């Protein structure tokens, strides 16, 4: 009778690392709001500001050939040093769609943190 060898600790850690690497982007924003571990007020304010930036970008019409904007201070979050920007660019594979990417960042190098949120929308005008 052949016995199956159990997986080693190293092999289990490799699998856990791979799963974490692929799942982290999907749970990052949710985990900040649902399970605040570190400096929850700052993370929560940053995630709310990020959602506000993307909603503001969704409400504006698409502008063609806009250069990549610089980071600007987010109103109401100057006390935590929060900077944000919104990028709009055509989707590389679906030319009838536009990608909107909002990013907020705070902190100082090398301990700076950032959050990003992307939204895919159909263009209504060529």
């Amino acid at each position: 009778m052949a016995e199956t060898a159990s997986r080693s600790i190293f092999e289990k850690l490799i699998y856990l690392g791979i799963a974490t690497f692929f799942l982290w982007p999907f749970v990052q924003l949710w985990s900040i709001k649902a399970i605040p571990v570190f400096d929850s007020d700052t993370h929560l304010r940053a995630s709310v500001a990020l959602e506000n930036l993307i909603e503001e970008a969704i409400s504006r019409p698409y502008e063609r050939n806009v250069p990549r904007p610089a980071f600007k201070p987010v109103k109401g979050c100057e006390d935590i040093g929060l900077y944000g920007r919104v990028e709009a660019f055509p989707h590389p594979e679906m030319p009838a769609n536009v990608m909107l990417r909002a990013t907020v960042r705070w902190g100082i190098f090398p301990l700076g943190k950032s959050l990003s949120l992307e939204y895919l929308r159909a263009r209504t005008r060529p």
Side-chain angles (χ1 to χ4, degrees), residues 69-120:
F71 280 95
K72 297 178 183 174
V74 177
K75 292 179 183 173
C77 297
E78 293 87 0
D79 58 326
I80 60 173
L82 191 66
Y83 293 90
R85 78 170 170 203
V86 177
E87 301 171 83
F89 51 93
H91 192 280
E93 295 176 5
M94 297 179 278
N97 294 321
V98 175
M99 291 293 298
L100 297 173
R101 180 184 302 137
T103 306
V104 294
R105 69 179 184 187
W106 70 98
I108 56 172
F109 180 80
L111 302 174
K113 298 178 184 180
S114 68
L115 291 174
S116 294
L117 189 60
E118 292 184 348
Y119 179 82
L120 177 67

